[in-house]
Amino acid sequence: MAQMNMIQAINSAMDVAMERDENVCVFGEDVGFYGGVFRATAGLQKKYGKRRAFDTPINEGGIIGVAVGMAAYGLKPVAEIQFADYIYPGLDQLVSEAARLRYRSAGEFTAPIVVRSPFGGGIFGGQTHSQSPESMFTHVSGIKTVIPSTPYDAKGLLIAAIEDPDPVVFFEPKRIYNGPFDGRYQEIVQPWSRHPASEVPEGHYVIPLGKAATVREGSDVTVLCYGTMVHVALGVVEREGYDAEVIDLRTLLPLDIEAIVASVKKTGRCLILHEATKTSGFGAELSALVQEHCFHHLEAPIVRVTGYDTPYPHSLEWAYFPGPIRLGEALKRVMED
Amino acid sequence: MAQMNMIQAINSAMDVAMERDENVCVFGEDVGFYGGVFRATAGLQKKYGKRRAFDTPINEGGIIGVAVGMAAYGLKPVAEIQFADYIYPGLDQLVSEAARLRYRSAGEFTAPIVVRSPFGGGIFGGQTHSQSPESMFTHVSGIKTVIPSTPYDAKGLLIAAIEDPDPVVFFEPKRIYNGPFDGRYQEIVQPWSRHPASEVPEGHYVIPLGKAATVREGSDVTVLCYGTMVHVALGVVEREGYDAEVIDLRTLLPLDIEAIVASVKKTGRCLILHEATKTSGFGAELSALVQEHCFHHLEAPIVRVTGYDTPYPHSLEWAYFPGPIRLGEALKRVMED
Amino acid sequence: MAKQEARSNLPPLDLYVPEPKFRPGDDADFSDIVIPAAGETRRPDIADDHHTMRDLSYGLVRVLDGEGKAVGPWDPRLDAETLRKMLRAMALTRAYDQRMFRAQRQGKTSFYMKCLGEEAVAVAAAFALDRDDMCFPSYRQQGILIARDWPLLDMMNQVYSNKQDRLKGRQLPIMYSAKEGGFFSISGNLATQYPQAVGWAMASAAKGDTRIAATWCGEGSTAEGDFHSACIFASVYKAPVILNVVNNQWAISSFSGFAGGEATTFAARAVGYGIAGLRIDGNDALAVHAATQWAAERARTNQGPTIIEHFTYRTEGHSTSDDPSQYRSANEATDWPLGDPIARLKQHLVGLGEWDEERHAAMDLECAEQVKVATKQAEKFGILGHGLHQPLETMFEDVFAQMPWHLREQQAEMLAEYEVAKAKAKQGEA
Amino acid sequence: MAKQEARSNLPPLDLYVPEPKFRPGDDADFSDIVIPAAGETRRPDIADDHHTMRDLSYGLVRVLDGEGKAVGPWDPRLDAETLRKMLRAMALTRAYDQRMFRAQRQGKTSFYMKCLGEEAVAVAAAFALDRDDMCFPSYRQQGILIARDWPLLDMMNQVYSNKQDRLKGRQLPIMYSAKEGGFFSISGNLATQYPQAVGWAMASAAKGDTRIAATWCGEGSTAEGDFHSACIFASVYKAPVILNVVNNQWAISSFSGFAGGEATTFAARAVGYGIAGLRIDGNDALAVHAATQWAAERARTNQGPTIIEHFTYRTEGHSTSDDPSQYRSANEATDWPLGDPIARLKQHLVGLGEWDEERHAAMDLECAEQVKVATKQAEKFGILGHGLHQPLETMFEDVFAQMPWHLREQQAEMLAEYEVAKAKAKQGEA
Ligand SMILES: Cc1ncc(C[n+]2csc(CCOP(=O)(O)OP(=O)(O)O)c2C)c(N)n1
Ligand SMILES: Cc1ncc(C[n+]2csc(CCOP(=O)(O)OP(=O)(O)O)c2C)c(N)n1
Ligand SMILES: [Mg+2]
Ligand SMILES: [Mg+2]
């Protein structure tokens, strides 16, 4: 065991994967010598050489397209997109190629790539360093979407993603790289070292994709969330004393429907929390699924607490962020309804 | 009044808009001399000249990027993406630029472009000529998404889209270009000329964006749909004798929430029908909204009938297409529940 | 800042929109196309610096002269047996195309695309590559499969989406995939294969393999962003890849000017990226072979990528959905100055005394027969739209390696629906 | 097909990964950079065919020689008054940058990006363009605004996201927008402005206007697909646009080799597209002015686009978030062989007898003072993170021209939330 923050855990995941499988390689803008603008790949070039950890041209479509070709050859490419906001130029290679290759070739060719990308706001990054585009990927058949919320999960999920035979988009909540930010932006954020999930095995382990974690048991309401929002939810629930069950989805697709349904059937209420814009965000799918599976158990309308349907505004960041107050009000509503 | 099929109506919309406003121009792959692979722009180059109706390089990002620049200059570009399946290379210019320009410049620059694109399946186009990516656009703040279901609507909505100050994605259900296909693929499709909505004014008129059409009144269940699916829904409802209210959304964003809520509150049941893949399809958002607004009125779970979460398979097209049988079974379920 | 007043003297700007020289009704005249004599273009050493060969992007590598003689430094000096094999692969490709095109017209499938007039581009290249070099083709290089002796039957099964279609009826006809044939799954999205080929080549290089990659796209497709991605990555990492641009003058209804073909050659793109570039006569099988071999040698010796522009002509419509008489002159195809690749290679072989009219006629018959036999077999396994050739449940397979719950659920739903449909159909009968 | 056996003799492939010549700890030595003498590169007539000027993509247009004398055919022969204005705009840009960088370090805003050492690229270009030509810059051309006398105060308000920020605090600092200044809204997404500039220029041409467009991106950004889109469209429609590539050697931590800079020049991209290309000394304000003027004239007379590579050096870190000592040699900046653009223009003016040390010192003081005054004013309107400078409800404006119901609903929700927050805060106080 070692103490790791989220960046260190992610770094360690790649290190372990590269150590175990010489076909694993990492690349992306500033990923090689410098080790990534968030330092997630620091040291990997030194350890594994330039052929396995390298910088790339600034071309997200090329990064993903080249990764697909490498994967078709037999490598296990782990590509970094510097910010999730910059994944769109690479979307076609993800949607039309990586996601479709196994299907269209009936399994002859596959594209087991991992695309890692920091996402979400809360760092005053303005509208092009704060986006949460995860729901788009969940709409694309053939892609798995994974979002960790702790160092421990990040490492185990990333290793699982690298070992997975399918393309995986791995979004890293950059706001919690250094500590489990709970949305109270006026307070000093605790470092990960104070959090039990910063105890991370140094070696290999996996957290299976498709399994949610019930991070808090409760009986009054189910809170579905992922990434940074897990900490926001836990903070509010604890501080305001709700007997809420908080489920960290960890994998959006494939979704752990069993955990969700079991919980909502138990609590009869459901609140969905994410940072992405509301309309057609992943909360919509969650809401639809919950009402399809738990209609007769629901005692109140399912509530979505999300980013607003605007770009992420630089100076009004904290008004935009679905933080403790908004969540607290929504919890109150869902409990009273 | 003239009799028009959907292609003719769309062509007429551009013709009328170009006639009235010399800043309107149309372009795209094969759009100029040939008039588009579906002939939607036929005759426009001849009538308005090469400077206003022209072919482009095969580069969807360039087409949309150039359109944004033209719009910033003051033109009203109407760009065609040959198939919606090929819109992804242009997604970044739509999402990060067209959709964001007004906001990020606080109104100084705007991008009132229209991106037209044939979408949907049913023509044995295989997985890259059949997709329905509309939900992705509804997730992007700053874009309007419009989908017509008849020649009359197509013309009125397209003119409205061209005159709209915001970027509009206008998806044309190609399966019904020539006739109101109701999903019974074994039958001969009736041409539009037998349908009242093929009576289309030759001149200018608009159908306001954001207004749904209740194409059939009923009191037992509300069916929410758009595009080709409107005809599938009407066919099944009529044939199987349901007293269903069928709402053709026409604009997905901004959505006509009032019409939807009023109807569901009346019927107490809701079925959502679209061709796009299910997970995080626009049906998810509709379902979430309906349960948020009508929770206490719902007598049965909201049901989604959609394309399956696989690519659109060439030979199993009709098994994939959410046709009359699937809809019929779902209607039965929602009524029995 | 320059004075504002100065400007008012200026004439107004004007938007230039390219226009092909000939439209329907025009008598196409290609006499202004500059065609260097066969043998004229120099052949640099493969170790030469790309900067010293920029001229090759503006030349036209040609081996076969007007009489069918192989001349000049690019003559690949192939033995007669190889030449005959190449000729036969081209002829078989043509026969196959003809039959499948007709099959579509007969309603046996939904779609087809010929490569008429461009057979050399794919076939001669395949002969210059190793069997295990990986090809990332567009939809117009069926000739590669045929050159690699891939069974016609397998190809036809795909075109018919029938029971034996290895791709389980999932792909549009002609979107083959044949890993064993070194033939990457064809995508409907133009140019996406380009960066993938570069990635495959980079992987091969990173692993110290000796296999290289080759990719093809049309001149129209070079406008796509993916073309740029591929060239940048190939240039930066000196990837062992051959980037073929098939300039057949048309992209559906748009002539090459809409891809930038008026301003310069497509081979010149190479100059822009600091890549070796060759512009070659794509209807000259020997030129295609020689250029491919040269580029392959460069790739295999870590000298990096080569862009080859194959100057050719799309003799037929874009696909079965297209009607070229709507947008181009009727005589273009017949008057194309670089002739027909099969006729030219035949003439060469005849000139060598290694071939004659009788053998050619016999070969054509043989090819037709081979195609006929395969067609019969294939049609036994079904044609599109006549019966359900794929078990319905296969629709949900291969989306992921393992089927997740939501697909299993949907699969069950669809099978239930199918039972209802069957019941309804029975009712209808009764 | 070539025999399989032949292959086994081949040495294995290897993946080439570029590496800059110098890393931290190395003594950077730029002596291998070829720098043609000032005045050496020829100046073609603007009406010349781009094919006749390919050499210019490999040269380096320089006007100022080692002694600061303007020499050769590219000397723009500007009057002393204009030269002094240019010098001042560069100096003011530098003073502004210095102050805003410090403001970020002082926690007054979230982010800043300097253009130290590259001031000529933006400033001299702006002087060669007309005021109403539309600029589509990247984040490193603040010099354009300053050259166009845009109020520093307005720029600072944006950097501080304060009450007077015309962009309502929505954009990251330095992402200016100034329509009246012919300065397009800067995007955080690299190179997206490139095709937009081409589209604007096409529109201007289609309307018979006389205004042209100019755009800038870094050498790293030329790898993006949007660069290709822009070049293809510009080439096809001969758009009246100037495509500037600011080759400052670095893209965050990646040297220009990762954008293809080892294989050829960035100006050579022009050759690939059949566009006129110029490679120029970006630290020579006169060269920048002359090249821009030449390209602008070409554009205005319907001769089409020009790509200009500005060969320069990013003297500082990428942004306030960057630490260049981690990845490059410490002495690169000081040893850059093309010197400092301000010092060089100053030397020129002094040589002409139109400037001297005293006036220069006075100008520097004046610039510092001007910046100081503006800073004070700006800070009165607020700095980032200290107070709510934008009414909360503005967050929902300008998403669409008219606010749809769902945004109105969310707006109301947020205002209600704010009331709760205030109440809670009060409780906390009480
Ligand atoms: C991304 C994308 N955009 C558009 C299309 C539609 N399309 C199919 S083929 C074609 C023309 C391609 O022309 P070219 O590249 O010259 O190849 P050719 O058909 O001549 O072999 C177009 C526009 C597509 N398949 N993919
Ligand atoms: C599409 C996109 N990808 C990545 C980034 C992150 N990024 C911001 S600046 C930068 C480097 C750009 O370098 P260059 O183009 O050389 O410009 P310079 O900073 O040197 O002026 C990168 C990778 C981005 N902003 N947008
Ligand atoms: Mg072509
Ligand atoms: Mg740079």
Side-chain angles (χ1 to χ4, degrees), chain D residues 103-126:
Chain D
Q104 193 277 343
R105 289 292 187 241
Q106 293 167 335
K108 293 176 179 172
T109 190
S110 56
F111 183 76
Y112 193 74
M113 297 179 102
K114 284 175 145 185
C115 65
L116 189 70
E118 303 172 36
E119 292 89 350
V121 167
V123 168

Side-chain angles (χ1 to χ4, degrees), chain C residues 218-220 246-251:
Chain C
E219 88 295 339
V246 185
N247 178 5
N248 64 3
Q249 316 301 324
W250 290 92

Side-chain angles (χ1 to χ4, degrees), chain A residues 29 60 82 86, chain D residues 139-140 188 190 218-221 248 250-251 318:
Chain A
E29 297 158 17
E60 292 76 13
Q82 204 163 79
Y86 305 140
Chain D
Y139 44 72
R140 233 182 271 287
L190 295 172
E219 88 296 340
S221 305
N248 63 5
W250 290 91
H318 173 72

Side-chain angles (χ1 to χ4, degrees), chain D residues 175-201:
Chain D
M175 303 276 171
Y176 311 109
S177 178
K179 194 172 189 175
E180 291 304 310
F183 192 95
F184 190 71
S185 156
I186 296 176
S187 176
N189 302 58
L190 295 172
T192 50
Q193 73 276 17
Y194 247 63
Q196 293 164 0
V198 173
W200 197 97

Side-chain angles (χ1 to χ4, degrees), chain C residues 72-85:
Chain C
W74 286 93
D75 177 5
R77 296 168 196 280
L78 302 175
D79 57 57
E81 190 50 32
T82 304
L83 291 172
R84 278 189 296 260
K85 278 189 185 161

Side-chain angles (χ1 to χ4, degrees), chain C residues 118 139-140 218-221 246-252 254 314:
Chain C
E118 303 172 36
Y139 45 72
R140 233 182 271 287
E219 88 295 339
S221 305
V246 185
N247 178 5
N248 64 3
Q249 316 301 324
W250 290 92
I252 310 187
S254 304
R314 193 196 78 204

Side-chain angles (χ1 to χ4, degrees), chain C residues 257-316:
Chain C
F258 282 101
E262 286 187 337
T264 191
T265 69
F266 292 95
R269 296 276 186 278
V271 177
Y273 295 107
I275 289 177
L278 293 178
R279 186 161 170 274
I280 73 170
D281 177 348
N283 288 11
D284 175 344
L286 297 189
V288 173
H289 190 288
T292 306
Q293 201 169 46
W294 183 85
E297 258 186 85
R298 290 190 76 250
R300 270 192 239 286
T301 52
N302 289 312
Q303 325 262 348
T306 304
I307 294 181
I308 303 178
E309 173 185 352
H310 301 257
F311 198 66
T312 180
Y313 189 83
R314 193 196 78 204
T315 305
E316 280 272 1

